[in-house]
Amino acid sequence: MNVEAHKEQLGFQAEVAQLLKLMIHSLYSNKEIFLRELVSNASDACDKLRFEALSDDALFEGDSELKIRVAFDKEARTVTISDNGIGMSRQEVIDNVGTIAKSGTREFFSALTGDQAKDAHLIGQFGVGFYSAFIVADKVSLTTRRAGLTAEHGVRWESAGEGDFSVETVEKAARGTEIVLHLREGEDEFLGDWRLRSIIRKYSDHITLPILMKAEGKDEEETVNQANALWTRPKSEISAEQYDEFYKHVAHDFEPPMLHVHSRVEGKQEYTQLLYIPSRAPFDLWDRERRHGIKLYVRRVFIMDDADQLMPSYLRFVRGVIDSADLPLNVSREILQASREIDTIRAGSVKKILGALDDLAANDAEKYAGFWKEFGVVLKEGVGEDHANRERIAKLLRFASTQADSEEQSVSLADYVGRMKEGQDKIYYITAESFATAKNSPHLEVFRKKGVEVLLLSDRVDEWMVSNLPEFEGKTLQSVAKGELDLGALEDEAEKQAQEKESDEYKELVGQIKAALGERVKEVRVTLRLTDSAACIVADAGDLSANLERMLKAAGQKAPGAKPILEINPRHPLVQKLKAEAGKERFGDWSSILFDQAQLADGAQLEDPVGFVHRLNSLMLALSQ
Ligand code: ADP
Ligand code: MG
């Protein structure tokens, strides 16, 4: 087969076509950003080449001066962006600019509302920069050759952005990528030297490579951007906009960040960090394979993307750059894993980020609430992951609680401690599968009655988090669904005595219920924690909570299978009625129903739901006769 003639017409992945339409409509009011996105990609391509060339110098093909060129042609009505970066092979072209290989694509499309203003935000979050070319162009022609391949392995990709694209093999002498935009009718404003230069300065000034344009009316080229590393400049010389634009490039985000931390560390080790917290969680926050984390530089030379050793997993949403003065230029991922320098840098960066969050929480509660909504669940992982910083992270945690009875997580442990009742010495919480189950749990009844606040925990990570957080500022965290009800000094003597008396009175009933339920329960006992409900399920103090057991099972893991404890409310009419039924035929059924109800209220699935329905039905029939 003649490779030259090998041209194929391919359809975009269905989503890409839809995305293109949305992109053109929703970003039209800010159409000049197409240039920022293409320059950002060119810069990434040069970074990739530099990284690959660390282990294979031949990839430079004798030309290691990486640069980006921007040109325009008034006659042909084209704008051209080219780079001498890594380039792409035919397959890479098809994969990278014909499909969206991102995880979360499906979620993205299901999140679209059809309201263009809202969807514009989503587009930004999803970050598909290349396609922004179609905002201003009705035909895009990309010609590329991957570094290391020979000239006849060039590839041309062309598309009008309307559902399909063509790829053909062409000659390309120079390594890298050239993108020609054939401007749409009416987009002639981009065919001007001044306009293009000002866009580059506005959005791409921070790009560390030179961006070259021909000087007006001359043949020589000149550098349009500052082309020095933004993070090496003094803070006072960097504007808020410049910080933001740099963020958009490193994070592949369309929206400005929530905050940044920029600092230079000197002493035994020298490094500069410019770190950002995004305004919104990306779609792939939960994808273990996700990229775009921290970029590592050594003395201003780009070394690698997504250096995950530089940030612990619970801060994986942080973006930015770290530039070390001490690491060797040929540092590899393997070296990083075992490097003491990296450990120090990581510890320093974590401190900075936690410090920035402390400040935010103290000075701008509303913004902090926004942060917590986006990233709180991830930060919670830190309690178990980063023991050295556990206290600090604990202060940053926010919870839903019975105080507000709202799903929003806004109560800090310090708030809770500040509101503790006279004599209260524990921080009470409940874990459940959902907020509603937590909020309506019978375990809360006595606490509501006494006006004692309980934290309502319903994120998956919460069980793990609380198991790693035994106390906060000397106060024990206590699950209200585990062990005997222990109100400490909140309990008054009279009540205690009343309970003991009731326990005695119900001793016989308790034994009878236990006999009826047999192996299904570990124990049956009388409780004072209930006011409205007849019964509830409790885990033994040393056992896993029922919620955690269920989570483990759902995740296909072995759960120890601890049996629950059934607690009954002696003041409930149903329980009193049951006492009168002792010894009668239907006592066993009634006991079962009581137990199953308590299980359901706890968020459990019944082992024998059909049996439950039968028993309930016969009870209803008996009542109606
Ligand atoms: P992102 O930059 O977030 O990955 P884009 O839509 O901007 O998303 O680009 C998609 C992909 O296309 C890039 O990840 C890269 O693999 C490829 N690509 C785009 N432009 C270039 C270029 N100039 N050189 C090499 N590869 C490129
Ligand atoms: Mg991009």
Side-chain angles (χ1 to χ4, degrees), residues 24 28 77 134-138 160 182-188:
I24 294 164
Y28 192 76
R77 302 190 60 255
F134 289 102
I135 305 174
V136 297
D138 52 15
H182 298 266
L183 298 184
R184 287 176 193 277
E185 205 67 54
E187 303 298 348
D188 294 29

Side-chain angles (χ1 to χ4, degrees), residues 51-100:
F51 179 63
E52 285 192 23
L54 284 178
S55 49
D56 182 6
D57 200 46
L59 290 176
F60 279 133
E61 301 173 15
D63 170 22
S64 61
E65 279 192 30
L66 304 179
K67 43 179 124 28
I68 300 166
R69 290 196 161 86
V70 176
F72 65 97
D73 181 334
K74 266 202 159 106
E75 238 84 291
R77 302 190 60 255
T78 57
V79 172
T80 301
I81 297 98
S82 54
D83 64 72
N84 59 350
I86 189 76
M88 286 179 270
S89 68
R90 188 180 181 113
Q91 193 55 47
E92 285 172 323
V93 168
I94 294 172
D95 291 346
N96 296 337
V97 295
T99 49
I100 313 174

